[in-house]
Amino acid sequence: MIQKQRFSLPAIARFVFAPILALATLSIGSAQPVAFTFNAESNVSIILPQNATLPEQTAARELSDYLTKITGGDFAVQNEPATATSTAIYVGDTAFAKSVGVVGSTVASEAWRMKTQDDNLILVGGGTRGTLYATYRFLEDVAGVRWWSPWAETVPKRGSLSVRAMDVSGKPAFAYRDIYATYGNDNGRFAIRNRLNRDGDWPIGAEYGGGRDYGPPYHVHTFFKILSPAKYYAQHPDWFVVRGPGAPTVNTAELAMSNPEMRQEFLKLLREIIRKSHQDAKDKGLPLPDVFSVSQEDNDVSEV
């Protein structure tokens, strides 16, 4: 039976809910028998799909690094069709996971699943980030790793790590998750470790699944970034509402939203921005932006 977990708490608030999180950690398979145990001498492979995505590769690298820190062992990362000599951790949409009915491509975007299969473990998720979320869940809830900030972490040192039989899945409760101004300047690593999917004004790199960012040109004050006075004012002064003399600027003007010709041109430009942004995201392997800001400049022209 699959256990459902739908909460995802950022690390910045964990100290408030430490007792609750401790109970949640203990509840994951705590009544189940131990599926396998590994230590520094164990021969454990981390196996990726044959054509692993960048986020899947990141998940495997993070898993290998932290399991080495915890146990002192060596956790080699291989791609299918690698054959595990003993216990293996299958990361991402692997053929092994599919063979036991766990198909990552059918998992909802950003949903994740941790499942033991005999003496193996499957970590998989949907969309570009789900497998990363499954990996970070395992490192936190089973291995006991804590990321307090982009620069501070706690990694337990253990002689061995036991993994109980489990089949646990979950999905973030909110589609858009961002804590403004917690930047680590780390390409989004800390954000994704905490199951955020936006990092304020900083981009989340493709290796961390990309961000659920606003589409171009920006997330606020976009009127003139879309329809520029420098290009249009000379021929269409009636497309702008200007306070005082001189050409319009972001401080002295707004678009004349009541002008139908201006609106038609604005919509044409916005559609082209959306089309191009989707193509750019596809080319880079990033999620398609689905929110575009159409908002006035930051001034008091409304008082004119």
Side-chain angles (χ1 to χ4, degrees), residues 11 14 62 65-66 69-70 136 139-140 144-157 186 189-190 193:
R14 285 193 188 115
E62 292 272 76
D65 288 348
Y66 279 94
K69 292 177 182 178
I70 292 167
Y136 290 137
L139 288 173
E140 286 188 320
V145 178
R146 295 291 182 266
W147 294 287
W148 308 114
S149 77
W151 313 278
E153 63 183 28
T154 298
V155 181
K157 306 296 182 182
D186 56 4
R189 181 181 63 182
F190 182 67
R193 283 176 171 177

Side-chain angles (χ1 to χ4, degrees), residues 7-22 140 146-150 152 178-180 182 190-191 193-196:
F7 65 86
S8 182
L9 187 67
I12 197 170
R14 285 193 188 115
F15 70 95
V16 177
F17 297 97
I20 298 175
L21 283 175
E140 286 188 320
R146 295 291 182 266
W147 294 287
W148 308 114
S149 77
D178 182 19
I179 298 179
Y180 207 75
T182 60
F190 182 67
R193 283 176 171 177
N194 289 281
R195 270 71 78 188
L196 305 178

Side-chain angles (χ1 to χ4, degrees), residues 48 60 81 91 219 247 266 301:
L48 284 165
V91 176
H219 63 267
F266 189 94
V301 173

